Amino acid sequence: MKQETIQRIKQFTIDRDWDQFHSPCNLAKSISIEANELLECFQWSDTDFNIDKVKEELADVIVYCVDMVEKLNLDVDEIINAKMDSNEAKYPVEKAKGSSKKYNEL
Amino acid sequence: MKQETIQRIKQFTIDRDWDQFHSPCNLAKSISIEANELLECFQWSDTDFNIDKVKEELADVIVYCVDMVEKLNLDVDEIINAKMDSNEAKYPVEKAKGSSKKYNEL
Amino acid sequence: MKQETIQRIKQFTIDRDWDQFHSPCNLAKSISIEANELLECFQWSDTDFNIDKVKEELADVIVYCVDMVEKLNLDVDEIINAKMDSNEAKYPVEKAKGSSKKYNEL
Amino acid sequence: MKQETIQRIKQFTIDRDWDQFHSPCNLAKSISIEANELLECFQWSDTDFNIDKVKEELADVIVYCVDMVEKLNLDVDEIINAKMDSNEAKYPVEKAKGSSKKYNEL
């Protein structure tokens, strides 16, 4: 994501004085709420979905994720790389390849 | 997010031959599931949370969002800017400033 | 559900002095969290699921729903019948039969 | 819940020929989607909520839970009592009283 896109998201909140509502808990609720509007695109069919609606709802999830990263002063590359370190350890290629099992069942 | 972080997420899936499981619907389910593991950090308290756990779960949400962006060949800046256009129209500053009301109640 | 099952759920909370944590908002978070543990049973496959796990997670969702009904002093038959009145009006049989479309697209 | 309320929920689905859409996975998605419409009532405030909206959304969650119980031919008292057995073992009163910690942290 471009820095100017992140800046636009931040400015949107500042302009509306909405930082007061963006507690980490409220942002976590918001991410879940938007994730489920995304899920609703696939409620009755896995394959027959409205791509424009999917784009909108996925964007909403990502916007709230950016808000949370900013709110908690996180470095997105750092938290993702730390999680990928952990994922790679939990799902070694030789065990996990081609399997959808959870790590504790592999 | 750096291009190399996105590349690492993509390579993780390729190495494990997991693209077969990454239907848009399964990714939408996964985003919601991880969003709720994030929400669980705030289940009984808004303020007393484990920041390390929050980082891990937020990273999981973002990783699946990246997977979905890639799966659907979307441009993340494009979908976010389109949504921000819509948000700015729905929530004009003069009406929305300092209010947590939904646009249809403003 | 039998009255004694409802009573058991209520007594469980009373015995642990957990009513203090059961704000309507915390219960709403809890319902969503458990709903997503249920959804996790179907994360990568619609058909290959562990029925014992499904039973446990569905039970968790229902327990928190009972907690919320009790917390807000609601009558479960009343709220469901009111909602079914609304559903029946939004989805008339002649229009909705055999269709998974949302009411505003019928 | 009264037997006639459960019967009304079942008949609603039968009349619309909707059983074809009610796979366990689709019902799990639906429970999560409705749980998040309920959560939306508390998105920005824990205490200032619309009780009529809460009733409607909670009813929606419960209706899909009833659908899933019926779909999988479960006995609701049986699955809840089995889960309460497990909860009581995981959260013994003397350890859990007054604490919101998870069982593995008690």
Side-chain angles (χ1 to χ4, degrees):
Chain A
M1 200 184 305
K2 289 179 190 158
Q3 197 51 45
E4 66 197 63
T5 309
I6 293 173
Q7 190 52 45
R8 184 176 181 183
I9 295 171
K10 290 167 70 168
Q11 197 60 45
F12 179 83
T13 299
I14 293 169
D15 287 347
R16 282 153 191 78
D17 199 14
W18 281 358
D19 185 64
Q20 59 184 312
F21 307 120
H22 283 195
S23 68
C25 178
N26 285 356
L27 292 173
K29 285 184 260 177
S30 301
I31 292 170
S32 175
I33 291 165
E34 297 299 339
N36 277 274
E37 295 188 5
L38 176 59
L39 186 61
E40 198 181 349
C41 298
F42 306 94
Q43 186 171 10
W44 304 117
S45 168
D46 290 17
T47 49
D48 178 21
F49 55 88
N50 179 333
I51 184 68
D52 290 326
K53 192 92 179 93
V54 168
K55 284 176 178 180
E56 283 178 35
E57 301 302 346
L58 180 56
D60 277 336
V61 177
I62 296 172
V63 166
Y64 279 125
C65 288
V66 170
D67 283 333
M68 196 166 211
V69 164
E70 295 299 320
K71 183 71 183 186
L72 296 171
N73 283 312
L74 304 177
D75 177 314
V76 73
D77 292 287
E78 192 183 298
I79 64 169
I80 290 185
N81 278 303
K83 197 54 177 54
M84 293 307 291
D85 287 345
S86 156
N87 287 348
E88 288 169 6
K90 284 203 293 197
Y91 294 96
V93 172
E94 62 276 16
K95 272 189 168 181
K97 192 160 188 169
S99 166
S100 63
K101 285 190 183 158
K102 228 180 153 167
Y103 67 94
N104 52 12
E105 294 168 352
L106 278 174
Chain B
M1 200 183 304
K2 290 181 189 156
Q3 198 50 47
E4 66 197 62
T5 308
I6 293 173
Q7 191 50 45
R8 184 175 181 184
I9 295 172
K10 289 167 71 169
Q11 197 60 44
F12 179 83
T13 299
I14 293 168
D15 287 346
R16 282 156 191 77
D17 200 13
W18 280 358
D19 185 63
Q20 60 184 309
F21 306 120
H22 284 195
S23 67
C25 178
N26 286 355
L27 291 173
K29 285 184 260 175
S30 301
I31 292 170
S32 175
I33 291 165
E34 296 299 341
N36 277 273
E37 296 188 3
L38 175 60
L39 186 60
E40 199 183 347
C41 298
F42 306 94
Q43 186 171 11
W44 304 116
S45 169
D46 290 17
T47 49
D48 178 22
F49 55 86
N50 179 334
I51 185 68
D52 290 326
K53 192 92 179 93
V54 168
K55 284 176 179 181
E56 284 179 33
E57 301 302 346
L58 180 57
D60 277 335
V61 176
I62 296 171
V63 165
Y64 278 125
C65 288
V66 170
D67 282 334
M68 196 166 210
V69 164
E70 294 300 319
K71 183 71 184 189
L72 296 171
N73 283 312
L74 305 176
D75 178 312
V76 73
D77 293 287
E78 191 182 297
I79 64 168
I80 290 184
N81 278 303
K83 196 55 177 50
M84 293 308 289
D85 287 345
S86 157
N87 288 348
E88 287 169 5
K90 285 202 293 195
Y91 294 96
V93 172
E94 63 277 14
K95 272 190 171 181
K97 192 159 186 168
S99 166
S100 64
K101 285 191 183 158
K102 229 180 152 167
Y103 67 95
N104 52 11
E105 295 168 352
L106 277 174
Chain C
M1 199 183 306
K2 290 179 189 157
Q3 197 51 45
E4 66 197 60
T5 308
I6 293 173
Q7 190 51 43
R8 184 176 180 181
I9 294 172
K10 289 167 71 169
Q11 196 60 44
F12 179 82
T13 299
I14 293 168
D15 287 346
R16 282 155 193 77
D17 199 14
W18 280 358
D19 185 64
Q20 59 184 311
F21 306 121
H22 284 195
S23 67
C25 177
N26 286 355
L27 292 173
K29 286 185 258 175
S30 301
I31 292 170
S32 175
I33 291 165
E34 297 300 341
N36 276 274
E37 295 188 5
L38 175 60
L39 186 60
E40 199 182 347
C41 298
F42 306 94
Q43 185 171 11
W44 304 117
S45 169
D46 289 16
T47 49
D48 178 21
F49 55 86
N50 178 333
I51 184 68
D52 290 326
K53 191 94 179 93
V54 167
K55 283 175 179 180
E56 284 179 35
E57 301 303 346
L58 180 56
D60 277 335
V61 177
I62 297 171
V63 166
Y64 279 125
C65 288
V66 170
D67 283 334
M68 196 165 211
V69 164
E70 295 299 320
K71 183 72 184 187
L72 296 170
N73 283 312
L74 305 175
D75 177 313
V76 73
D77 292 286
E78 189 183 298
I79 65 168
I80 290 185
N81 278 303
K83 197 53 178 50
M84 293 307 290
D85 287 345
S86 157
N87 288 347
E88 287 170 6
K90 285 204 292 196
Y91 294 97
V93 172
E94 62 277 15
K95 272 189 168 181
K97 192 160 186 168
S99 167
S100 63
K101 284 190 183 158
K102 230 181 151 165
Y103 66 94
N104 52 13
E105 295 168 350
L106 278 175
Chain D
M1 199 183 306
K2 289 180 190 157
Q3 197 51 46
E4 66 197 62
T5 308
I6 294 174
Q7 190 50 43
R8 185 175 180 182
I9 295 172
K10 290 168 70 168
Q11 197 60 44
F12 179 83
T13 299
I14 292 168
D15 287 346
R16 283 155 191 77
D17 199 14
W18 280 359
D19 185 64
Q20 59 184 311
F21 306 121
H22 284 195
S23 68
C25 178
N26 286 356
L27 291 173
K29 284 185 261 176
S30 301
I31 292 170
S32 174
I33 291 164
E34 297 298 341
N36 276 275
E37 296 188 5
L38 176 60
L39 186 60
E40 198 182 348
C41 299
F42 306 94
Q43 187 170 9
W44 305 116
S45 169
D46 289 17
T47 49
D48 178 22
F49 55 87
N50 179 332
I51 185 68
D52 290 326
K53 192 92 179 94
V54 168
K55 283 176 179 179
E56 283 179 34
E57 301 303 346
L58 180 56
D60 276 336
V61 177
I62 296 171
V63 165
Y64 279 126
C65 288
V66 170
D67 283 334
M68 196 166 210
V69 163
E70 294 300 318
K71 184 69 183 188
L72 296 172
N73 283 312
L74 304 177
D75 177 314
V76 72
D77 291 287
E78 189 183 299
I79 65 168
I80 289 185
N81 278 303
K83 196 53 176 52
M84 293 308 290
D85 287 345
S86 156
N87 288 347
E88 288 170 5
K90 285 204 291 198
Y91 294 96
V93 172
E94 61 277 15
K95 273 190 169 180
K97 193 160 186 166
S99 166
S100 64
K101 285 192 182 158
K102 229 180 152 167
Y103 66 94
N104 53 12
E105 294 167 352
L106 278 175

